[in-house]
Amino acid sequence: MSEIKPEDKTATDKNEEEQDWEAAKAFFESLKTKAPRPPKPQNAVTIAVSSRTLFNMAERKIFVDEGVEKYVAFQVEHESDPLKPGPAFPFVKALMNVNTRLRNLYPDSEELFDIVLMTNNHAQVGVRLINSINHYGLTIERFCMTGGKSPIGYLKAYMTNLYLSKSADKVTEAIEEGIAAATMFMSRQESDLSDTQLRVAFDGDAVLFSDESEIIVKKHGLDTFFEHEKKFENKPLAQGPLKCFLEALGKLQRKFYAKNERLNCPIRTFLVTARSAASSGARVLKTLRSWGLEIDEALFLAGAPKGPLLQKIRPHIFFDDQMFHIEGANELGTISAHVPYGIGQKYNKGKLIEEPKKEE
């Protein structure tokens, strides 16, 4: 799994890039405005969201049934009507609350969340998207509207730390490019989420960690898995697709800790894993320690359903690699995001999905 940020550049490239940014920054700062400036991408934690995750784009049915021209015409006709919030909306609002707290503590810092709207919508639809963003008071200045083309190729250019979409194919493509990504699902009932603290819940295997241990469970059973985890307890697990996002969250958390704000930190992270604590939990915790990462709460469920625990946590987003956990969480009001990675994609509720036979 490759790191999120691009490879190191030469000193000359960095100097030229810095000069370009400084010139752009000087120009924008010469314009008087009360609106907060977007941070430099290399300093920010960049979250790319699709228009269908940020908003409930029910109008997509027009595109599917009647084609792009009717769809664009409808959006232009209704561009003054705000779109309804989508599954990523509470998450984005929580990110902006964290930014407000960071700016109060570090007025000149650019280590902030930066939200990019990444959509294959036509540019004409952008007016309604902008009007909706302004209607809800969201701070989203960077847009990427690709007019029907996949936006995945732009994710690295925007230095994306996390990409959220409704398209499983685009998310899979992003993960294959080494970018943390997940497919978002709206919960089936509303939940009262925190207005003051960003809450992010992660599954462990095939999300924060690789699927190496899950492969053993699927192929050889629990007893072999427990023996394997005990034998390799002191060997860190390889990283999974969301490890870099947890790392980015931890970097911002430490900025609050440095100001003696640990107990009042507006970011809280949770590990919600089907692992058993006594039989296989130590390796997970030691892996996080070896990475220099903290998790605020670790919940080992030993195979019990995750939905009821998540209902108590009330995260703004919950990441898991298995759809039956996503469905169980959604039914109880948790906004969830599927990470299509690892051997779990070949199974449904523990049973191997039969692949169609290839014609000879």
Side-chain angles (χ1 to χ4, degrees), residues 205-218:
D205 296 294
V207 175
L208 291 179
F209 317 113
S210 74
D211 65 339
E212 60 181 271
S213 295
E214 198 160 323
I215 289 173
I216 294 172
V217 174
K218 295 290 192 290

Side-chain angles (χ1 to χ4, degrees), residues 336-348:
S336 303
H338 179 236
V339 181
Y341 173 81
I343 194 172
Q345 309 316 302
K346 298 181 179 180
Y347 289 78
N348 181 32

Side-chain angles (χ1 to χ4, degrees), residues 42-209:
Q42 62 264 41
N43 297 330
V45 176
T46 301
I47 313 296
V49 296
S50 73
S51 56
R52 288 200 293 144
T53 60
L54 184 60
F55 298 116
N56 182 3
M57 302 285 284
E59 297 84 353
R60 179 173 170 78
K61 189 174 187 303
I62 299 172
F63 170 77
V64 174
D65 294 344
E66 302 180 47
V68 65
E69 299 301 329
K70 291 286 183 68
Y71 170 75
V72 172
F74 180 90
Q75 296 288 24
V76 170
E77 183 181 351
H78 293 83
E79 62 187 22
S80 296
D81 302 330
L83 293 158
K84 293 181 179 179
F89 189 90
F91 177 63
V92 169
K93 291 282 284 186
L95 297 177
M96 291 179 178
N97 173 65
V98 175
N99 277 356
T100 299
R101 290 280 306 276
L102 283 168
R103 285 190 172 103
N104 288 339
L105 292 174
Y106 301 92
D108 298 322
S109 176
E110 291 195 326
E111 291 182 328
L112 302 162
F113 289 112
D114 190 22
I115 297 92
V116 176
L117 188 69
M118 188 77 59
T119 175
N120 60 0
N121 262 297
H122 191 281
Q124 289 295 326
V125 182
V127 175
R128 190 177 188 195
L129 292 170
I130 290 169
N131 288 342
S132 298
I133 285 169
N134 290 335
H135 171 79
Y136 293 110
L138 304 179
T139 306
I140 302 178
E141 299 294 348
R142 303 193 206 278
F143 274 42
C144 180
M145 293 176 282
T146 62
K149 302 296 183 182
S150 173
I152 299 303
Y154 292 99
L155 291 174
K156 285 188 176 180
Y158 278 88
M159 304 180 75
T160 303
N161 294 86
L162 175 67
Y163 172 56
L164 299 174
S165 174
K166 292 280 283 184
S167 169
D169 290 340
K170 290 188 181 73
V171 165
T172 300
E173 189 180 347
I175 288 175
E176 289 173 352
E177 291 293 321
I179 296 168
T183 312
M184 290 208 73
F185 293 87
M186 196 70 155
S187 62
R188 297 177 190 174
Q189 55 180 282
E190 289 190 12
S191 182
D192 186 20
L193 303 177
S194 174
D195 292 327
T196 58
Q197 186 178 65
L198 168 66
R199 295 181 153 229
V200 182
F202 299 90
D203 178 31
D205 296 294
V207 175
L208 291 179
F209 317 113

Side-chain angles (χ1 to χ4, degrees), residues 148-149 235 253 316:
K149 302 296 183 182
K235 180 183 178 182
Q253 281 181 308
H316 292 89

Side-chain angles (χ1 to χ4, degrees), residues 235-248:
K235 180 183 178 182
L237 290 153
Q239 74 175 63
L242 270 292
K243 181 256 189 177
C244 290
F245 180 54
L246 175 63
E247 195 169 36

